[in-house]
Amino acid sequence: MKTKSIISELRLKFAEKTWNETFQLVRRCMDKSRDESKPCEPLVRSLERLQEVFNVSSMNTMKSRLEVIAKHQGMGFHITEATCYLTADLFYLEVVLLPCGGVEEVKVAPHGASPVPSESLLQLLRSKNFAEFSLKLAGLFTQYNIAGDNDIKLKLFASLQCLGKDLQQISHLPRVPKDSDPQVDTVNNGRIGCLIAGKEDCPLTIQFYITPTDGMKTSDLPLVEEITETVVQAAQVTVGVSDVTHKLQMASVIPQLDPQGCPVLLPLNEGPYETLPACFLLRLQPAIPMMLSFVNKLSQITDVTIPDVDLQWAPLPKLLMRRSQSANSHAETLDEQDTIFTVPLPGGVMHSYVLPGAAWEAPAQRGTVVDSIPFTHAAHVPALLELLRHQCAINTLLRSCITSRCARTGSVCDLHFEVLPESKTSFSVTFHRPDTDSLAVLLVNIYDAHQITCTLFGAGVGHPSMDEYLSDVMKR
């Protein structure tokens, strides 16, 4: 009863208060939080709810909105006249406001550098898309959020910048094109893929694999709109803490070029290195299902062990199924082992693929989803990308068998295929030939991302030109 009485008195007291007065009261309570490094969560949530219904129509309301966003992210907040500063250890955001609450300019300043305009953040604030602005700021905070004391943070930040400059230099080296499309050639065949230079408001990013597409249109399929799909596999280059110390560069490790114009990379026991409790990271976007043998090869390239604490192992097709199935896909599991997928093709043709569970449960076919790869030297990156491309090529071929954009329940399939693993980098596809009463087997070998061969076995199908044609189709 006493609690109800207090609440009733509070309601009477603030019944005639304006939204602005209530808003300012909550903000003042936040300022008086017992732990300034972590504002009172109920007060933060209350202020956020108030702001959702409070129209940003003045400079003060915009300042308050930015302050809550900054504190929610764990950043500092300072005001000087019409400029707001959202600060962190290694960067700060500068937001210049207009009297009406609009935004004139947004700048990002990394540690030790001058502020640089950010058009993307500016447009988000001008459109009052605070939710997306908060997400963008969270990504920016993560980009610069390096653990450790100030001295360690500054050294790691400097080391990461040196690495980025060396990767850019490697990416500009001349090479012989392998694909008629310059963009596809750079991504799939470049030493460093397509390197998107890091900016103040986004990290250094490498695009290293474009999923091949045969340009298949689904206009012939009922109830499905035409789909054009191009998947680009990328990785953000960043730095992370490590339980083990590593030697990381503190200056360029490409002091000179050899007579052919290729960089001469200094080994880890030479040059400007410093031992730090961290390593560089390739943060994969999206994460990649990888077989155990490939995960081990990653560690062999970098001499850095990939932590297996959070890794969950499963047959590779199951990992691909989890990440590939859409709401329109259709799969049936028989005996809780074999999985049947039906895949529609143009012209009303329907194929079914069977993946025998027992065969794919073999230890060699087990894998895990990898989201980041630690490394310590710029020389590791080209080899890592080639290995990732190899795994992506395997995943792309298998995913084509287990992904269905529009499977119709109860439909009759024209052809049935059984997909079996033959080795760590090859699989076979067995099917009944429609032109004769016999079986045929297609053996697919993926030696690397650029070398895929097919061999067709069966009565009267052993012509070399057929194998060449099938291999060319697989590479598309």
Side-chain angles (χ1 to χ4, degrees), residues 320-339:
L320 298 174
M321 286 162 54
R322 294 171 188 168
R323 306 183 70 83
S324 298
Q325 275 189 286
S326 65
N328 291 328
S329 65
H330 176 69
E332 297 179 37
T333 301
L334 302 180
D335 299 329
E336 297 182 353
Q337 288 187 336
D338 300 347
T339 306

Side-chain angles (χ1 to χ4, degrees), residues 58-59 82 96-104 126:
S58 69
M59 184 182 292
V96 182
L97 304 179
L98 298 171
C100 63
V103 181
E104 182 178 347
R126 282 183 171 175

Side-chain angles (χ1 to χ4, degrees), residues 359-433:
W360 289 99
E361 285 281 355
Q365 302 303 324
R366 296 181 70 80
T368 188
V369 178
V370 177
D371 58 9
S372 64
I373 301 171
F375 67 102
T376 58
H377 198 283
H380 297 156
V381 178
L384 290 175
L385 295 184
E386 276 304 302
L387 191 62
L388 290 172
R389 287 168 177 151
H390 191 178
Q391 182 68 72
C392 286
I394 295 172
N395 292 354
T396 298
L397 292 175
L398 287 177
R399 194 177 279 121
S400 68
C401 302
I402 65 176
T403 301
S404 171
R405 292 193 181 103
C406 180
R408 292 169 293 180
T409 304
S411 58
V412 177
C413 294
D414 301 271
L415 286 175
H416 301 270
F417 303 86
E418 182 183 58
V419 183
L420 289 168
E422 298 297 335
S423 72
K424 296 174 183 177
T425 59
S426 66
F427 59 88
S428 63
V429 182
T430 304
F431 60 97
H432 185 276
R433 293 174 58 189

